[in-house]
Every structure is written in structure tokens, then in C-alpha cells.
Amino acid sequence: MADKQNVFEELLRLKENSYSPYSNFKVACLIYLSNGEKIKGVNIENAAYPATICAERSALAQAYSLGYKKSDIKSLELYTDSETLGSPCGVCRQVISELVDWSATISIYNKNGFQLETNIKELLPHAFEPAQLIK
């Protein structure tokens, strides 16, 4: 994977693909895979807000659509267009908890650059797990 400054610069370019006419809040996500490939995602808003797709889910849906699985995902790099620390929303945290290995690194950036390295266990310590549905 590239160094944090190169990732930050790529996220800054990627955020320009965001479709965010309602909030003007651009979010970009890069998923680094174990084979060296990367998947890109941005937020896509809709006037019907529940139809909005967050950058994390955009990238994850693309990764799975291309045939990648949880074990292929090495890290998730997230940029939020803010001055303060941003982080995945609750829905994204739940989706990440199911589709990304819990040991994968999640790095968070904002307008000021790299801010935090974490993982889904830290972001969502009591995730709802599919095993809870099986009786």
C-alpha cells in the first residue's frame, strides 16, 4: 500500500467524483486488496435521502461485485471533507463489520490529512452479527 500522504492525495482527487448536491459533503473511500489492487468509492446522494449511498458501501459493493471477499480486503481508507475527525455512519459500520475482516485497518482522513488508524472492532464493538439470526 502507498504511504499515507500518497493515499491522502488520491482521496482528495477521488472526492471530486462525489455526487453530493444536497449536503455538499464529499466522502471518498479506497479499499486496498491483498493482491495489490484497489477499489474506489464515493458518496452518491439522492433527493430521497434513504437512497443515498455512502462511499464505504459504494466501494464495498463494487469489491464484492468484482468477486472479492472479506479475506481479500487489507485496508479501508476513508476521507471526509471536514476539518474535524469524521468516521463511518452507523449503517456503514454495520456493513463493514460483516463484509470486512475485523483485523483490517481502517484509516480516516479529513481536509488536514491522516487523522486516525482503527479497525471495525474499535468502531463498532457490539456489532449485530449474522450468527445472531441463526437459531
Side-chain angles (χ1 to χ4, degrees), residues 1-11 32 75-77 105-109 113-118:
M1 187 181 79
D3 68 48
K4 298 291 187 203
Q5 184 60 36
N6 288 339
V7 171
F8 176 59
E9 290 169 7
E10 184 168 3
L11 287 165
Y32 281 86
S75 72
L76 190 146
E77 312 290 319
T105 301
I106 300 172
S107 297
I108 300 175
Y109 303 75
F114 173 73
Q115 297 298 308
L116 176 70
E117 187 170 291
T118 188

Side-chain angles (χ1 to χ4, degrees), residues 33 35 37 39 62-70 72-73:
L33 303 168
N35 67 1
E37 296 291 319
I39 306 289
Q62 184 181 170
Y64 272 75
S65 294
L66 291 170
Y68 295 106
K69 301 292 181 233
K70 178 185 286 197
D72 298 311
I73 298 172

Side-chain angles (χ1 to χ4, degrees), residues 6-126:
N6 288 339
V7 171
F8 176 59
E9 290 169 7
E10 184 168 3
L11 287 165
L12 285 177
R13 289 187 300 274
L14 180 59
K15 78 172 174 113
E16 295 308 317
N17 296 341
S18 166
Y19 179 75
S20 48
Y22 308 105
S23 71
N24 293 311
F25 188 73
K26 297 176 183 298
V27 183
C29 180
L30 292 170
I31 295 176
Y32 281 86
L33 303 168
S34 56
N35 67 1
E37 296 291 319
K38 62 186 162 195
I39 306 289
K40 300 175 182 181
V42 296
N43 60 320
I44 309 293
E45 293 182 348
N46 191 280
Y49 267 37
T52 293
I53 303 167
C54 296
E56 303 93 307
R57 288 184 283 137
S58 171
L60 283 167
Q62 184 181 170
Y64 272 75
S65 294
L66 291 170
Y68 295 106
K69 301 292 181 233
K70 178 185 286 197
S71 60
D72 298 311
I73 298 172
K74 183 177 175 181
S75 72
L76 190 146
E77 312 290 319
L78 179 66
Y79 171 87
T80 59
D81 208 22
S82 62
E83 296 289 338
T84 59
L85 178 68
S87 68
C89 72
V91 171
C92 285
R93 289 176 191 219
Q94 182 61 45
V95 170
I96 292 167
S97 78
E98 189 165 335
L99 300 183
V100 177
D101 189 88
W102 283 44
S103 65
T105 301
I106 300 172
S107 297
I108 300 175
Y109 303 75
N110 67 9
K111 290 180 177 182
N112 302 309
F114 173 73
Q115 297 298 308
L116 176 70
E117 187 170 291
T118 188
N119 59 50
I120 195 59
K121 179 100 173 132
E122 292 176 357
L123 289 174
L124 190 64
H126 304 288

